[in-house]
Amino acid sequence: MMPVTPSLCRSHLTVRGTVQGVGFRPFVYQLATELGLAGGVKNTSQGVVIEIEGPEQTLQIFFQKLQQDVPPHVVIRALEQQDLPAQGVIGFHIWPSEAVGKATETQILPDLATCAECLQDILSPDNRRHHYSFTNCTHCGPRFSIIRILPYDRCHTTMANFTMCADCQAEYTQPDNRRFHAQPNACAVCGPHLEFWIKEQQKGPQQSGNPLHLAIAMLRRGDIVALKGLGGFQLLVDAQNHSAVDRLRQRKERPDKPLALMYPTLEQVHQDCKVSADAAKLLSSAQAPIVLLPKRLGSSSLANNIAPKMDRLGVMLPTTPLHHLLLQTLTSPVVATSGNLSGEPICIAKQDACQRLAPVADGFLVHNRPIQRPVDDSVVQLIHDKCQVLRHGRGYAPQVISLSGLVASDTRILALGAHLKNAIALFSGDHIVLSQYIGDLDAPRTLERLKHTVTDILSLYTCQPTAIACDLHPDYGSTRLAHTLAEQWAVPVISVQHHYAHVLAGMAEHSLGAPILGVAWDGMGYGPDQTVWGGEFLQITTSGFERVAHLLPFPLPGGELCSREPRRSALGLLYGCYGDVAFERDDLVPVQEFSASQRTVLQQMLTNKINTPMASSMGRLFDGVAALLNLHRVVSFEGQAALALEFAAAETMVQRGYPFIISSTVPYIIDWRPMVRKIIHDQGQGVATTVVAAKFHRTLVEIVTAIAKLINNSNIILTGGCFQNKLLSEQTIQHLQITGFTPHWHQRVPPNDGGIAVGQIIGALRHLSMSV
């Protein structure tokens, strides 16, 4: 009998998700070829399209392996299948890409750190990429920072001007090579190259010597080097040279804020930090973020001015071949901080960096691969053994947050975030894209960077918004831009209250629905009653929110000035406790801080409510208590006083907090005055600052639990900048769990204002009556 030939079937598949720039097409090609199937695969702006033909049983195996055996960075979010007539074709091919449909259907992979195989290549003397600083493959290297338009092909990236040599082209077209269709593929013959410029010679390269070696020599003699990295410039100095670090601080006008460190190896990190297994995984991951780690007690070769008066260090490992080669030769850690002037955005272009960073850097290690968009290093910490992103950048951005159950529509929303730690978000279809960290909008250059990022993200995803979401605060730079763009595009502006947006961001991240209790604690946010909020408990309903509890408001003499002078917040607390008598307490540090004439003016401001807004701000409460304990009277960066208070409390265990009073009616008013009076009493009795700080934190934990019991909602979200405080977060989580509640805290979306754009999207969708 003649063998029976199985009938052929053909399917058209559209695969959406993170499927471009991650080796997905090579994977599909190899899988189809191994199974003897015919057809082809191509990138489109809607995702990856596959047409596959063969026996039905073999196709079923293909479909199963397609979803189960994908490369490590592939995320399939949706797969649509359509049956087609069989064509009897032979062979499987990678077809040319097509730009069709909405680009927002394609998810872009963040930049990834050098993989182990590429690291081996650059360290092997017999490898043709030995010591090549731009080595990469489908598993690592630049993605988001080099893409100009979608779909993701070399001609659509900043690698377009680098024509591959014969060897690289052979790798690119060889199916069993890990550089098969690796778009940034290059080598020393055909790819980007390094140059070293010195401050006195900023218009061309320093010719005498290897650029990398020149930079290393400069670092060894204590100079500052500006290095062009993956998503922007970094400023490097020898981390063991106190005077070099001090010089960097002076030139960058960054007197106190901790500086990040880059170590050659994980083993060396262990010498200076306590590194848990989870932290080690984060440091060595493809995202390779800066991880906040506890300092190891005892002697250290590090300069003591890297993170002064802090109990943690921000640490990362080399992220690119260039960093690996530099640190391997140097053999010791370097400070690696953002390449910018204080308050300004990171530099990405050579000439711009040489001009703007000339007052800071002594030399410039640059290259000729353009950076399409700036991406700062990400910063993370471990909260209750879970990674929490604090700065959303390289390795994590752009991030896609799927809104499960949401019916796709033509609604497209651009959210412009807050004023500090600005990041934006875009909604289209059924998901949100959160941008990279942009910065604080006080600086004109950062506001310009925000405008550029808006243009960039809309162009990249070919999206025209039908609405714009922004903060309720009328004077934020992001709010003003929202109204300008809305008028230009003739679309509505939807204002979303700051703390409501914080809670909604947490709900979106964890796919939680209403009702839910949100604890939103931060510095300051504009309330719908036109007062300053910041110590809020919000009950989220199906249609909005109810402010069910908050701190008793207290005066802030000088308004915004209090964020830079904790002594003013302390004076406001004292006035709230004692009235005018507070100015007679010259035994207290915040009162001593001001001269007699200054105290007279401040008393008049408080009495007559002149430039003295009332605020329920937990952030300012932290500041005020820190000033009462003489930890910080003025600060040079946001959160400095609160960090000092956390550091003081970190190693001290207490069983009970200080007294507080909760009112009997909703919204519950949390009276902090008994606590502050007892803090002053303890301080006068000589109780250790560490004990007072620990009891203060414990009081806040007890406040959260007390309100949770009154509201009686099992699901609770902890959000806002105050919950960057690791001690506060972990103690609150533990206490809520013991008490029978289910706490949720930010992990992928920053708890600070860097994640607020996500909540603004949800708030806008709710306003537009969509089911979220």
Side-chain angles (χ1 to χ4, degrees), residues 411-607:
T411 301
R412 298 177 299 280
I413 302 171
L414 171 69
L416 291 184
H419 190 75
L420 300 178
K421 297 179 174 64
N422 182 267
I424 64 175
L426 183 65
F427 169 81
S428 180
D430 62 354
H431 62 273
I432 299 169
V433 177
L434 177 62
S435 82
Q436 73 276 29
Y437 165 87
I438 297 169
D440 297 347
L441 301 183
D442 292 320
R445 285 184 183 273
T446 312
L447 189 57
E448 287 303 311
R449 179 63 55 82
L450 167 62
K451 295 175 183 177
H452 179 81
T453 305
V454 168
T455 302
D456 176 60
I457 199 169
L458 295 180
S459 173
L460 186 60
Y461 290 93
T462 60
C463 179
Q464 181 60 40
T466 58
I468 301 177
C470 66
D471 196 274
L472 191 62
H473 198 301
D475 293 328
Y476 280 180
S478 53
T479 303
R480 293 194 297 268
L481 178 60
H483 285 276
T484 299
L485 293 176
E487 183 177 354
Q488 178 182 329
W489 297 335
V491 298
V493 173
I494 302 169
S495 299
V496 184
Q497 200 279 325
H498 191 88
H499 303 94
Y500 180 39
H502 268 308
V503 181
L504 293 177
M507 292 174 66
E509 177 181 354
H510 293 288
S511 300
L512 298 169
I516 200 165
L517 176 63
V519 185
W521 288 356
D522 62 6
M524 291 188 286
Y526 192 72
D529 58 358
Q530 299 183 342
T531 66
V532 178
W533 288 15
E536 312 306 314
F537 293 80
L538 305 182
Q539 177 88 328
I540 307 302
T541 66
T542 54
S543 59
F545 72 92
E546 180 185 1
R547 190 190 192 193
V548 293
H550 60 84
L551 287 182
L552 175 71
F554 57 94
L556 296 178
E560 285 286 343
L561 195 57
C562 290
S563 64
R564 298 186 293 277
E565 296 186 25
R567 59 185 182 173
R568 289 176 176 266
S569 294
L571 207 57
L573 294 176
L574 292 173
Y575 190 83
C577 287
Y578 305 114
D580 289 332
V581 177
F583 289 92
E584 300 173 10
R585 296 294 304 268
D586 54 9
D587 58 318
L588 301 177
V589 172
V591 179
Q592 297 169 0
E593 270 291 288
F594 298 98
S595 65
S597 60
Q598 288 175 323
R599 289 200 293 268
T600 299
V601 172
L602 286 164
Q603 187 172 1
Q604 290 174 349
M605 289 173 62
L606 286 160
T607 302

Side-chain angles (χ1 to χ4, degrees), residues 366-384:
V366 300
H367 59 76
N368 61 334
R369 181 178 68 199
I371 298 172
Q372 180 64 18
R373 62 189 53 79
V375 188
D376 284 87
D377 294 316
S378 292
V379 180
V380 308
Q381 66 178 345
L382 284 165
I383 297 290
H384 218 57

